[in-house]
Amino acid sequence: MELPLSCIERRVRKIKKNIFSSNFDLYNFVCPSTYDTAWLAMIPHSKYPSQPMFNNYLDWLLNNQKPQGYWGESDTIECLPPTIVSMVALIKWNTGKSMVDKGRSFIHANADKLLNEVKDDCPRWLAIVLPAMIELADEIMGLDVLFTKSSRDTMSYIANRRKSFLNKEEVVGDFDWYPPLMSYLEALPPSYVNEKDICKNLSADGSLFQSPSATAKAFMAYGTQECLDCLQSLAQRCPKAVPQAYPMDEDLIKLCIVNQLQKLGLGEYFMGEIEILLTKVYRNYSKEQNSRVQPLNMNALQLQKDSLAFELLRTHGFKVSPLRFCWFLNHDEIRAKVEKDYEHFSSAMLHVFRASNLMFSGEYELKEARTFSRKLLEQIVSTGKGCLLRQIEHELSFPWFARLNHLEHRMWIEEREVNALWKGKMSYNRVSYLYNDELLQLATLNFELKQLLYKNELKELKSWAENYEISNMGFGREKTSYCYFAIAAALTSLPYDSYVRMFLAKSAIIITVADDFFDSIGSLNELQILTDAVQRWDTRGLSSHSKVIFDALDNLVSEASRNYLQQEGTSDDISRSLKDLWYEVFLSWLIEAKWSRNGHKPSLDCYLKTGMTSACPHVLVLPSSCFLKPSLPTKTLKLTAYENITKLLMIICRLLNDVVSYQKEKEEGKLNSVLINMMENPEFNIEDSINFVREIVEKKKKELLELVLIDGLCDLPKPSKQLHLACLKVFEMFYNSKNRFDSNTDLVEDINKAIYLPLGRTTKCFSPQTFPKKKHTISIIHNNFPFKHNSKIGFTRMRFMTPKVGLGFI
């Protein structure tokens, strides 16, 4: 039996060997195009015209028909053109008769269902290509493609759409539509194009708009030597099957590899490889930084590449300017083309919008790009159509700052279009089946192992809360699961171990209970006694709730001090600094309690000075940072030495809470920044005050994000900066649009998805019968892997190891 962590290690090594080896051909990462391969398979040999020039492509067709009878990537409408042209190629070379019959049977049996997908709105590419392929099969090759009577109305509609496109668009010189009509040369009537038109539009590499099928047709029609040279170069580079475009942009493929790893939650296993790929991309990116963009050369692919490069490079600390992908905003002609053909630019606009999430202060062009792309993406959503519809809806509905990594990884693993890379001439270029399966299997195994760790840690955390009676106080909010979920889900892609997660969760639980005690049932005398006890750090005079809170806090600090001494192997004791941090927090709660009960109305500045401390993010991120690698310098724990990044986090978290809780606090006779702002500005109504506070939050978030992502602006170690960002995202998730933290139901579904519910993907699994009777335990500790679980996990206690739930792939 192979244990889950060993299985992960083995799969990581395999992927590194396959994808990141020095001899890996980047083209192999992209799925081949059956349609284009079939067109090259039809080219006759120049000396032996009764034989194919590229016999290897014919062999590929013979070996890659799906069991159902179609050719292509999926049994959707997209499979009809490649299936028909593959049948034509086989008939042309008098081979594969049984496969042709099987293909005809598939079309006859499935035509109604497939054509129903486009009966009301046929895509441009399909309207141009499908009727032409039917004509090619029926008239030229004598291959009768059978459609049912009920399909004929839809076919007639598609044929009329084709006529309208051919009448409306000029074949030569009109690039208002992307891809240009001439890139579909193989599907155009012969009278539409002549040899002069072909030569005029050939690229320097000899291709016709980088389309292998169009280039193959140009060579068969006119024998153009440049086209032949291109096709032979393609055959040498791709001996088994050809991609949808040639040549492909290799930097774009590198970016797509990194993006897939990140989205699936696998970046932590390939940090060194990702750094190497992005460094190579950045070199070329920097060389092109000042190159002048020519509007006529613009296309959706270039815009997608530029925005994806910006997103990934900025995320990994490279200094990049948004002007590198916002150039399209300065060209009215280009903007008009994007707005006119927004469906073709859907993938590019999605990447533009994602890139705009990483906006720093003063980057107004990014703000304009965000507004522009959002408008077009909303138009796409309104149509209810599109390959990327679910991704677009998610992007528009959930702010990036409010998303937790673990749930994002789950969404991506379960996303039907997870392997869609960029829009091609006809369909999306996708990750090859081999590598897509390998990545998804590793991502699934990785996600399920994390669920296992999280379930065990949450169980341990609940036991701790019960032992210290902090979960049974009889008042306020019991948020053990909420606290742990948010921390685990936010930190999943970073190399934090179990202790850091547990320390953060325990801190958050204590904060919640103590804050409720100060807000609700504690008398001023009790609150003063508790605050004094925290300052002295002893239990004299404490009883009941106060003693429970202090005992849990004392356990937290004592354990942290012991672990720090053991980890660092030095005489440095952080206990005094931790006690001072907590005293500062308790003092701020006491001050706010006195304000509320005495009717005191502080100024906004005075309120924020206290409120940013009472929000408590610093007491979460700073002590936890001491247990990261590299660890936080102990001097940073001093109360007077907070870095600007920490101060920004404190003020943002306070204001986020205030915006969604002002009504409740008003009813309870308390004040917050929204209410105080109205008092200091009588001309403000409540909406004015809320918008004012939100503007401050947005400005501060941009400042904090820059400190996190750009090296040299902040003295904190990188892991600590990332922890600041993760903490911000947790607060944003709780308080972005409403107070989800105080709700008893809002987060139940998310918690279940993060920790308990198995992935909605069918995978091979371990069944209980595969385990030996002897109990096995493992310690999740490995130098090269991020799981460092200090407690033993008994695999006989894995609740989710049923035949329907997978942990491994054998």
Side-chain angles (χ1 to χ4, degrees):
M1 182 196 70
E2 185 174 25
L3 295 178
L5 188 59
S6 299
C7 187
I8 287 179
E9 293 181 12
R10 176 174 58 81
R11 290 185 174 276
V12 168
R13 287 194 297 269
K14 181 180 178 183
I15 291 173
K16 286 185 177 183
K17 181 179 179 181
N18 289 343
I19 297 181
F20 295 102
S21 63
S22 58
N23 60 351
F24 176 68
D25 187 345
L26 289 167
Y27 277 35
N28 290 336
F29 189 73
V30 182
C31 193
S33 165
T34 303
Y35 179 83
D36 291 274
T37 301
W39 270 100
L40 267 73
M42 285 194 286
I43 301 175
H45 196 286
S46 55
K47 293 184 179 179
Y48 310 102
S50 62
Q51 299 177 17
M53 177 179 288
F54 303 111
N55 195 64
N56 49 325
Y57 296 145
L58 184 63
D59 290 339
W60 189 87
L61 295 178
L62 290 168
N63 289 307
N64 281 275
Q65 184 182 34
K66 297 297 189 291
Q68 298 92 325
Y70 68 89
W71 279 267
E73 297 173 10
S74 62
D75 58 346
T76 65
I77 189 66
E78 291 184 1
C79 79
L80 279 182
T83 296
I84 294 171
V85 75
S86 295
M87 293 160 60
V88 169
L90 297 184
I91 288 291
K92 178 171 183 175
W93 302 116
N94 194 27
T95 186
K97 183 179 183 304
S98 63
M99 301 179 76
V100 173
D101 291 340
K102 193 173 182 179
R104 292 173 77 245
S105 297
F106 170 82
I107 293 174
H108 184 71
N110 294 276
D112 287 351
K113 180 188 74 172
L114 298 179
L115 291 172
N116 190 56
E117 298 176 24
V118 296
K119 66 178 183 179
D120 298 320
D121 187 13
C122 179
R124 171 176 173 264
W125 73 265
L126 187 68
I128 295 170
V129 171
L130 182 58
M133 295 307 101
I134 294 173
E135 290 175 10
L136 178 67
D138 191 16
E139 299 175 12
I140 300 178
M141 301 307 302
L143 178 63
D144 181 22
V145 179
L146 295 178
F147 285 94
T148 62
K149 184 177 180 180
S150 56
S151 301
R152 290 172 188 167
D153 288 343
T154 304
M155 286 304 306
S156 176
Y157 155 70
I158 294 174
N160 289 331
R161 287 272 289 174
R162 182 173 189 252
K163 289 179 182 178
S164 68
F165 281 123
L166 296 183
N167 290 334
K168 181 168 59 176
E169 299 181 28
E170 293 182 19
V171 177
V172 182
D174 184 1
F175 300 105
D176 282 347
W177 292 88
Y178 291 93
L181 193 56
M182 192 181 287
S183 68
Y184 298 97
L185 177 67
E186 76 282 359
L188 299 180
S191 60
Y192 273 61
V193 183
N194 57 44
E195 186 175 3
K196 182 179 179 181
D197 299 329
I198 298 295
C199 294
K200 181 180 178 181
N201 285 279
L202 286 180
S203 302
D205 53 51
S207 71
L208 192 61
F209 298 103
Q210 285 73 52
S211 169
S213 52
T215 307
K217 177 63 177 179
F219 172 70
M220 286 191 282
Y222 302 107
T224 310
Q225 183 61 42
E226 292 88 344
C227 292
L228 176 59
D229 293 340
C230 176
L231 294 171
Q232 289 175 334
S233 171
L234 170 58
Q236 185 175 6
R237 178 71 184 266
C238 306
K240 294 182 179 179
V242 304
Q244 195 176 167
Y246 179 81
M248 287 191 287
D249 188 324
E250 295 194 13
D251 276 352
L252 176 59
I253 300 175
K254 293 173 187 174
L255 291 168
C256 288
I257 292 174
V258 173
N259 195 44
Q260 289 296 107
L261 293 173
Q262 299 281 98
K263 296 291 186 183
L264 291 170
L266 301 175
E268 57 203 312
Y269 296 114
F270 301 94
M271 289 188 291
E273 289 78 11
I274 287 173
E275 187 71 20
I276 291 172
L277 284 183
L278 290 181
T279 299
K280 291 177 180 177
V281 171
Y282 184 67
R283 288 198 201 103
N284 295 332
Y285 187 88
S286 300
K287 291 176 184 176
E288 300 170 1
Q289 186 78 25
N290 299 316
S291 61
R292 185 164 180 256
V293 176
Q294 298 295 330
L296 291 179
N297 292 335
M298 182 269 176
N299 55 56
L301 187 59
Q302 185 64 45
L303 184 53
Q304 177 171 331
K305 176 193 171 183
D306 288 345
S307 52
L308 179 58
F310 173 86
E311 177 189 1
L312 294 177
L313 290 172
R314 173 161 284 191
T315 300
H316 286 81
F318 293 88
K319 292 184 179 180
V320 289
S321 168
L323 293 175
R324 189 61 185 85
F325 78 93
C326 291
W327 46 263
F328 74 98
L329 295 170
N330 299 321
H331 299 278
D332 293 339
E333 180 184 3
I334 294 175
R335 292 179 63 144
K337 288 176 181 177
V338 175
E339 290 174 324
K340 177 182 178 181
D341 197 11
Y342 62 85
E343 288 187 9
H344 180 73
F345 284 87
S346 60
S347 183
M349 287 297 102
L350 179 58
H351 281 279
V352 168
F353 189 80
R354 284 173 175 161
S356 70
N357 289 325
L358 303 177
M359 192 187 314
F360 297 161
S361 292
E363 292 183 331
Y364 302 109
E365 58 280 343
L366 260 184
K367 184 177 181 180
E368 185 181 357
R370 185 174 184 82
T371 301
F372 181 84
S373 58
R374 173 180 278 278
K375 177 183 175 182
L376 296 185
L377 293 176
E378 287 173 344
Q379 284 183 257
I380 294 169
V381 169
S382 69
T383 67
K385 299 175 301 184
C387 170
L388 304 178
L389 184 61
R390 184 185 174 196
Q391 292 183 40
I392 293 172
E393 289 175 334
H394 177 75
E395 201 68 39
L396 295 177
S397 302
F398 300 96
W400 178 76
F401 274 107
R403 296 181 210 157
L404 304 184
N405 292 333
H406 190 54
L407 290 178
E408 287 294 291
H409 298 158
R410 179 180 185 126
M411 189 209 76
W412 201 253
I413 292 169
E414 295 178 330
E415 169 59 44
R416 184 170 58 88
E417 298 295 340
V418 62
N419 64 339
L421 299 177
W422 67 83
K423 190 76 168 67
K425 182 177 97 173
M426 291 169 54
S427 60
Y428 273 85
N429 287 277
R430 300 178 183 276
V431 182
S432 71
Y433 298 120
L434 172 63
Y435 298 121
N436 187 56
D437 287 347
E438 286 186 356
L439 291 175
L440 276 178
Q441 288 175 3
L442 176 59
T444 299
L445 185 61
N446 183 51
F447 186 90
E448 290 176 340
L449 179 56
K450 287 181 178 179
Q451 282 189 315
L452 171 64
L453 295 174
Y454 296 165
K455 276 188 280 190
N456 278 274
E457 289 178 0
L458 180 52
K459 182 179 179 181
E460 182 181 331
L461 183 67
K462 288 180 177 179
S463 177
W464 172 85
E466 290 173 2
N467 290 340
Y468 281 89
E469 301 180 349
I470 201 164
S471 60
N472 302 304
M473 299 289 279
F475 67 88
R477 301 162 292 179
E478 201 295 299
K479 297 294 181 180
T480 301
S481 295
Y482 274 34
C483 292
Y484 179 80
F485 149 74
I487 289 160
L491 305 185
T492 185
S493 65
L494 298 174
Y496 299 126
D497 65 12
S498 176
Y499 177 71
V500 174
R501 286 192 295 271
M502 297 295 281
F503 178 82
L504 281 165
K506 289 177 182 178
S507 300
I509 292 168
I510 293 172
I511 288 169
T512 303
V513 172
D515 183 50
D516 286 346
F517 181 64
F518 274 77
D519 275 351
S520 56
I521 70 165
S523 67
L524 282 180
N525 185 53
E526 287 176 314
L527 302 184
Q528 184 69 62
I529 291 173
L530 177 56
T531 304
D532 291 343
V534 173
Q535 183 181 27
R536 299 190 314 270
W537 210 265
D538 66 51
T539 60
R540 282 178 297 162
L542 296 182
S543 62
S544 186
H545 301 312
S546 297
K547 189 172 187 307
V548 170
I549 292 171
F550 183 87
D551 285 346
L553 181 59
D554 182 54
N555 169 261
L556 178 77
V557 171
S558 298
E559 184 181 49
S561 300
R562 288 194 302 270
N563 284 346
Y564 183 78
L565 289 172
Q566 182 178 0
Q567 170 186 294
E568 297 299 316
T570 68
S571 59
D572 287 344
D573 184 2
I574 63 171
S575 61
R576 184 67 262 166
S577 295
L578 296 184
K579 293 172 183 177
D580 289 343
L581 280 174
W582 280 101
Y583 170 64
E584 181 189 37
V585 169
F586 275 75
L587 183 60
S588 70
W589 288 334
L590 178 63
I591 292 171
E592 290 180 341
K594 290 180 177 179
W595 287 347
S596 173
R597 301 181 194 192
N598 296 331
H600 178 69
K601 297 180 180 179
S603 67
L604 185 58
D605 287 344
C606 181
Y607 167 80
L608 290 177
K609 183 178 180 180
T610 300
M612 62 190 289
T613 301
S614 66
C616 302
H618 64 307
V619 86
L620 294 171
V621 297
L622 294 180
S624 302
S625 295
C626 293
F627 300 97
L628 306 179
K629 295 295 183 182
S631 63
L632 187 75
T634 54
K635 66 177 183 180
T636 314
L637 295 176
K638 303 299 182 184
L639 302 186
T640 58
Y642 294 151
E643 289 273 351
N644 191 37
I645 188 174
T646 305
K647 294 177 183 177
L648 285 170
L649 178 65
M650 294 166 71
I651 191 68
I652 293 169
C653 292
R654 167 45 60 202
L655 296 179
L656 281 171
N657 184 294
D658 284 359
V659 168
V660 297
S661 62
Y662 74 89
Q663 186 62 43
K664 175 186 174 184
E665 293 181 341
K666 181 180 180 181
E667 293 170 357
E668 294 176 352
K670 302 173 185 176
L671 291 174
N672 73 15
S673 58
V674 173
L675 301 174
I676 295 174
N677 190 41
M678 287 181 63
M679 291 179 358
E680 293 187 355
N681 298 277
E683 72 278 10
F684 277 15
N685 59 32
I686 191 66
E687 290 302 321
D688 293 331
S689 187
I690 289 173
N691 290 335
F692 177 80
V693 173
R694 281 180 172 158
E695 286 177 7
I696 295 175
V697 169
E698 291 304 310
K699 180 176 181 294
K700 299 297 182 184
K701 285 195 298 188
K702 295 182 181 72
E703 293 175 11
L704 184 143
L705 185 63
E706 185 171 9
L707 293 176
V708 170
L709 297 182
I710 302 302
D711 292 338
L713 301 180
C714 173
D715 291 336
L716 296 187
K718 189 172 184 177
S720 180
K721 294 194 296 181
Q722 291 288 344
L723 183 56
H724 278 68
L725 178 59
C727 184
L728 169 57
K729 296 186 82 169
V730 167
F731 271 78
E732 186 84 21
M733 180 273 297
F734 280 139
Y735 304 117
N736 169 59
S737 58
K738 59 181 178 178
N739 191 337
R740 301 182 76 193
F741 187 75
D742 284 354
S743 169
N744 291 325
T745 58
D746 266 15
L747 293 175
V748 171
E749 182 180 357
D750 286 348
I751 291 172
N752 282 329
K753 284 184 176 180
I755 301 175
Y756 297 109
L757 292 178
L759 289 164
R761 185 179 294 277
T762 303
T763 58
K764 188 172 182 180
C765 64
F766 292 116
S767 67
Q769 289 76 18
T770 62
F771 288 91
K773 292 182 179 179
K774 183 178 178 181
K775 183 175 179 180
H776 285 263
T777 59
I778 61 170
S779 182
I780 309 297
I781 301 175
H782 195 288
N783 292 334
N784 298 324
F785 289 83
F787 302 114
K788 298 178 181 177
H789 198 286
N790 293 330
S791 61
K792 301 289 183 179
I793 298 177
F795 278 84
T796 57
R797 299 197 308 270
M798 293 183 185
R799 290 176 51 198
F800 68 111
M801 280 195 174
T802 68
K804 293 183 178 180
V805 184
L807 251 190
F809 304 84
I810 300 175

